[in-house]
Amino acid sequence: FLERKRDLDDSISVKERIRRASLIYGNEKGTGKDIVCQTVASDFSELLGLSAKELSGKASDLSPSGEYLFAIACSCMESSAHALPDDLDTAMSTGIHYPILLLDELLDREHSNVCKRIGKGLENLAIAGAVIIAATHKPNLLENVSCRKITLCAGKVLTETMI
């Protein structure tokens, strides 16, 4: 998403774009599944800490941390949409299928303020039920997200710690 930011159509809001990330599974606007997707998109956005101003605005106007959170929210929708039920009552009774996120050096080159906001959003997702697997050169950035830390060197496990 971040690499394609320049190609985004700014005629729709960030919130709508996150919801549309579920369309890859054929969810059509106005159906029961679309209503579920709208609700889940709002839940992911709230957990990640996207503000109402960011959600109602354009993707091209997002701050660096907002861009990351937007991309993560879209990824959550893509990952979870296939498992969502077709109606809101079932979704509310069975709960959301939280995603599995694979993050490769996501925060390794970012400013500490950006890392702090994204880290808090990822922490909220993990608490809610998401599985987050991250490769990083700065493990301290994700301390509050992890329950297990594996240190590798040249493809070999150096340490493994349950946190």
Side-chain angles (χ1 to χ4, degrees):
F1 288 102
L2 295 180
E3 294 83 19
R4 298 185 308 225
K5 183 181 175 193
R6 289 180 302 271
D7 300 330
L8 291 176
D9 171 10
D10 268 345
S11 66
I12 61 173
S13 68
V14 167
K15 182 177 183 176
E16 177 62 11
R17 186 164 303 286
I18 294 168
R19 186 204 59 83
R20 287 186 183 184
S22 69
L23 297 178
I24 62 172
Y25 293 103
N27 301 333
E28 295 182 28
K29 190 167 177 81
T31 64
K33 184 119 178 187
D34 180 56
I35 294 167
V36 172
C37 288
Q38 288 177 39
T39 303
V40 172
S42 292
D43 290 347
F44 285 141
S45 299
E46 183 178 323
L47 283 171
L48 287 165
L50 285 163
S51 70
K53 182 179 178 183
E54 288 171 314
L55 290 170
S56 64
K58 300 174 182 179
S60 62
D61 293 336
L62 291 170
S63 66
S65 58
E67 290 177 9
Y68 277 103
L69 296 172
F70 166 60
I72 294 167
C74 289
S75 296
C76 288
M77 285 304 297
E78 285 184 7
S79 176
S80 301
H82 72 283
L84 294 173
D86 291 334
D87 65 275
L88 195 55
D89 290 336
T90 304
M92 299 320 265
S93 65
T94 61
I96 297 172
H97 294 271
Y98 286 92
I100 298 172
L101 297 175
L102 303 174
L103 309 176
D104 186 14
E105 300 181 8
L106 177 69
L107 304 174
D108 286 2
R109 294 184 185 91
E110 291 301 329
H111 188 274
S112 62
N113 288 340
V114 173
C115 294
K116 186 176 180 179
R117 183 173 181 213
I118 297 164
K120 182 62 179 164
L122 291 172
E123 180 183 352
N124 291 341
L125 269 180
I127 289 168
V131 174
I132 300 170
I133 301 168
T136 182
H137 295 282
K138 297 180 179 180
N140 58 318
L141 296 176
L142 298 171
E143 278 181 347
N144 294 333
V145 176
S146 59
C147 62
R148 184 175 172 193
K149 179 178 167 183
I150 301 170
T151 305
L152 303 173
C153 182
K156 295 186 177 156
V157 175
L158 294 180
T159 62
E160 183 173 348
T161 310
M162 298 303 281
I163 300 173

